Amino acid sequence: MVVPLTLFYVLRGAGASIYLALLAGTLASGITAVVIVATQHRLDGIAVFVMSTMLLSVGVSLLTGSARFLLAKEGWLTAVTGIWFLGSLGARRPLAYQFSRPLLEGRLGWPANWDATWDRAPRFRRMWQISTALWGLGTLLDSAARVIMAYTLPVDVVPALSTAMYAITSAVLIVVTNVYYRAAGAQNPTSALYRPNPAPLTRTGEIGGLGV
């Protein structure tokens, strides 16, 4: 976020056109994403998500010479992010799970083996599906606000406001989802969140084939 914003205002101060300044910032972001993925020598779900978004941003930027469209690009790409979150609900692991795991697994009261917990605890799975849906809906609302800003506000103001919105939207969603995680008992090892499915009833009065 910092590199394209700084580059935009430096170029504008040097007399560059709005379109050229916006395009330069987008290209810088795309190059940065490629370098990070290349130096990490791995391509996991998060890396694919970030790199795809950046490269899509570059592609969209080259489609038109409209400064307003280029400003609105951040809104359209944020909408893609929201759709990606919602679409991941049908994947093996939803996107909120993938983003949170490297930060929280085995830390701050969270379980040490999320894959095992995912397999045995239905409430744990449901929690990540709900938080992924929250991020998807939140980013879609954010995208709508960005598009409105791009077509109604002075062009030199939009990049700074757009960058500020990333921080604001992320902060709001992080607070909301973390309150939800705490209410669900995510940091309590004895919480019902981590209980496995009950053994299936086989016959009246029997559980798992044993009389009770």
Side-chain angles (χ1 to χ4, degrees):
M1 292 186 290
V2 175
V3 172
L5 181 66
T6 302
L7 191 56
F8 171 82
Y9 285 111
V10 167
L11 291 175
R12 287 291 288 156
S17 69
I18 293 172
Y19 180 77
L20 179 60
L22 289 170
L23 182 60
T26 301
L27 291 172
S29 297
I31 292 171
T32 301
V34 172
V35 170
I36 290 173
V37 172
T39 54
Q40 289 181 345
H41 301 293
R42 65 188 181 90
L43 198 63
D44 57 17
I46 296 175
V48 170
F49 171 78
V50 173
M51 189 171 178
S52 298
T53 302
M54 291 295 186
L55 294 179
L56 182 60
S57 176
V58 172
V60 171
S61 300
L62 298 174
L63 290 177
T64 176
S66 167
R68 289 287 184 181
F69 180 85
L70 202 51
L71 288 170
K73 164 184 65 68
E74 297 299 327
W76 301 124
L77 291 174
T78 303
V80 171
T81 299
I83 293 170
W84 196 317
F85 267 98
L86 295 177
S88 74
L89 292 172
R92 184 170 177 270
R93 298 287 189 273
L95 209 52
Y97 175 98
Q98 295 188 50
F99 274 115
S100 301
R101 184 176 180 179
L103 301 173
L104 300 176
E105 187 174 29
R107 301 182 181 95
L108 303 175
W110 289 79
N113 189 334
W114 282 24
D115 280 339
T117 306
W118 177 276
D119 290 338
R120 75 168 186 269
R123 293 186 182 182
F124 183 74
R125 297 193 294 271
R126 190 180 310 116
M127 181 187 73
W128 288 114
Q129 290 163 348
I130 291 173
S131 65
T132 297
L134 288 173
W135 275 87
L137 294 173
T139 50
L140 286 176
L141 290 174
D142 176 273
S143 72
R146 289 177 189 279
V147 172
I148 292 171
M149 287 194 315
Y151 284 101
T152 58
L153 298 181
V155 289
D156 282 318
V157 173
V158 175
L161 289 178
S162 181
T163 300
M165 279 194 66
Y166 278 119
I168 294 170
T169 300
S170 296
V172 169
L173 288 171
I174 287 171
V175 169
V176 169
T177 50
N178 275 276
V179 168
Y180 169 60
Y181 297 151
R182 182 172 290 275
Q187 293 169 292
N188 179 6
T190 62
S191 168
L193 183 71
Y194 301 119
R195 292 176 189 166
N197 278 321
L201 289 171
T202 56
R203 285 184 298 179
T204 304
E206 296 184 356
I207 299 179
L210 299 177
V212 294

